Amino acid sequence: MVKEMLQIDLAKCTKCGSCARACTAYVIEMQDPGPVEVHPGNCIECGHCVAVCPVNAIVHEHMDASGFPEMEEPGITFKQFNQLARNRRSIRRFKSELLSKEHAEQILESVRYIPTAENAQELEYLFITDPERVGLIRNEMLKGFKMAFSLVKHFYWIVKSQTSESYARRSRLTGDIAMKKWTDREKTHEDPFFHNAPALLIVHAPKKKVKGITSFAVNDAGIAGYHVLIACETLGIGTCWSGYHTKFANMYGSVRKASLVPKGHMVIASILMGYPAIKYKRDVYRKPLHSRIVGPGDQ
Ligand SMILES: Cc1cc2nc3c(=O)[nH]c(=O)nc-3n(C[C@H](O)[C@H](O)[C@H](O)COP(=O)(O)O)c2cc1C
């Protein structure tokens, strides 16, 4: 028997049925006296019932009522939103300035509100704002990179057969140049792996959950990642997604450990951050979309 979680004030309730209609988990049913919590064990705690009630008649015991402030118009037009997305670029030149604690907190507070499949909210966030720790992670990653890169060279034909000739060739050439730049870093101060970013945000979750057959954690982390990229854009923070870090943290225990990711967890997204030392003057260019709108009557 699951304990009821909703306190429904029937004196306030107008019996409009909005809560029952908004409930995706069929927890609420409209009956004679008003809304009734018929399947409390099914609740995913999305809060739709509380948020939709026009007379504030519902309190959810698992959710702090102060977490439901009245909605405010964001005041952003589509044009502004689109411009924000089109202005954003991956930043690979950073100032040495540390990422401020206030900015780190603002980013975490913002990503808290992303949607997740079944409202699972099981992603965890590790925000490394100490450049020394970021450097340590990069150095561990580099050991993995050297190993992986020598395998690419040794087993080039396998990489080629598993991908394409152009991908294999590009990987080999990029790897060669990156290693050369790293070797010359004393002179050039180049960091082809982490771009000298002072901060790294890591999104992770227990491996069992990520790999579970019903899990959408990878999709959730993609949403989280892009949300962070756009939030950072509004704060003047440069970002660069680090696929390298995600891959190597999951391949090598030493990278995971240096990244402070708990054992048994998988990294699902990694984002380098800092204040940009480069400014782009033109919008992002992309190929035309491969897309189709199918309307009424279309086949
Ligand atoms: C999942 C993912 C992984 C990426 N991994 C890396 C990476 O390891 N290193 C890097 O410099 N850029 C990485 N990028 C950045 C892409 O190269 C970049 O987004 C793309 O070239 C488009 O450029 P833009 O972001 O400036 O528009 C990654 C981007 C995504 C979405």
Side-chain angles (χ1 to χ4, degrees), residues 88-90 92 195 240-244 284 286:
R88 192 217 149 254
R89 295 254 63 159
S90 294
R92 298 187 180 91
H195 316 297
C240 186
W241 202 297
S242 180
Y244 274 149
V284 164
R286 304 278 189 237

